Amino acid sequence: MKITSINFAGRKIELGNSCYWTFLNTVQCPYLGEMNWSVHRNLNSAKEAVENQLNVTKSKKGGKIASEEIVNVEFEGVQTQAKKVIYDFTGVASALAGMSGGKNLTVYYIAENIRNKNVSCVMSFWNNDQINPETNLPPLLEKIIKLQ
């Protein structure tokens, strides 16, 4: 279902007309980034949620982690840290990803309190997405985070 804006933890974000819902609180904007988020009762629950998503992704076949590091980011105006993971795909997964030109996926895993809401957020983009050379992020992610 196509969408033009989202309510992200209490803030309306305009998306243009190329994005759509792929699941509950999961937005994909082809070649512009993808993200999912949830609001939790406490920050520990939000942190567990992003850790669980990371563990699920690590357990999937067809890819491997090329790098994993903690990076400083500004997330919705809050200085915090995110786990940055780069996945390389192999075999059939690589062939499927390669059909669109993508070879690796960069993912940011973040849990933080923003606007008095405990938010877990996972944002990703392919190496062939439209990346702003000034921010090193695609348009969707630029609306949510700034790299430090």
Side-chain angles (χ1 to χ4, degrees), residues 62-78:
K64 65 178 179 168
I65 293 180
S67 70
E68 184 174 340
E69 64 180 318
I70 301 296
V71 296
N72 293 318
V73 298
E74 182 181 304
F75 177 57
E76 288 291 283
V78 175

Side-chain angles (χ1 to χ4, degrees), residues 5-83:
S5 67
I6 58 172
N7 177 343
F8 180 72
R11 180 172 77 96
K12 183 177 180 179
I13 298 175
E14 297 295 332
L15 299 175
N17 60 1
S18 63
C19 302
Y20 54 91
W21 295 109
T22 57
F23 197 68
L24 180 67
N25 286 352
T26 304
V27 173
Q28 185 174 45
C29 305
Y31 300 101
L32 305 174
E34 181 173 357
M35 64 182 276
N36 70 68
W37 72 96
S38 293
V39 177
H40 302 263
R41 67 187 175 287
N42 59 51
L43 191 53
N44 280 340
S45 175
K47 288 178 180 181
E48 284 177 24
V50 292
E51 196 61 35
N52 288 340
Q53 274 194 269
L54 175 60
N55 290 335
V56 165
T57 304
K58 283 181 175 180
S59 70
K60 289 184 179 180
K61 303 218 182 317
K64 65 178 179 168
I65 293 180
S67 70
E68 184 174 340
E69 64 180 318
I70 301 296
V71 296
N72 293 318
V73 298
E74 182 181 304
F75 177 57
E76 288 291 283
V78 175
Q79 297 295 322
T80 189
Q81 293 186 317
K83 185 170 281 190

Side-chain angles (χ1 to χ4, degrees), residues 54 65 67-71 73 81-87 105-109 125 136 147:
L54 175 60
I65 293 180
S67 70
E68 184 174 340
E69 64 180 318
I70 301 296
V71 296
V73 298
Q81 293 186 317
K83 185 170 281 190
K84 177 184 177 185
V85 178
I86 298 177
Y87 295 97
L105 186 68
T106 300
V107 186
Y108 291 93
Y109 297 86
F125 62 93
N136 291 318
L147 303 178

Side-chain angles (χ1 to χ4, degrees), residues 97-138:
M99 287 169 48
S100 68
K103 301 236 184 303
N104 61 52
L105 186 68
T106 300
V107 186
Y108 291 93
Y109 297 86
I110 303 173
E112 188 55 72
N113 183 284
I114 55 170
R115 294 184 289 281
N116 293 316
K117 293 174 176 52
N118 299 299
V119 178
S120 64
C121 186
V122 178
M123 295 170 276
S124 63
F125 62 93
W126 290 97
N127 61 295
N128 66 326
D129 281 0
Q130 295 176 24
I131 310 298
N132 180 340
E134 293 177 20
T135 64
N136 291 318
L137 295 169

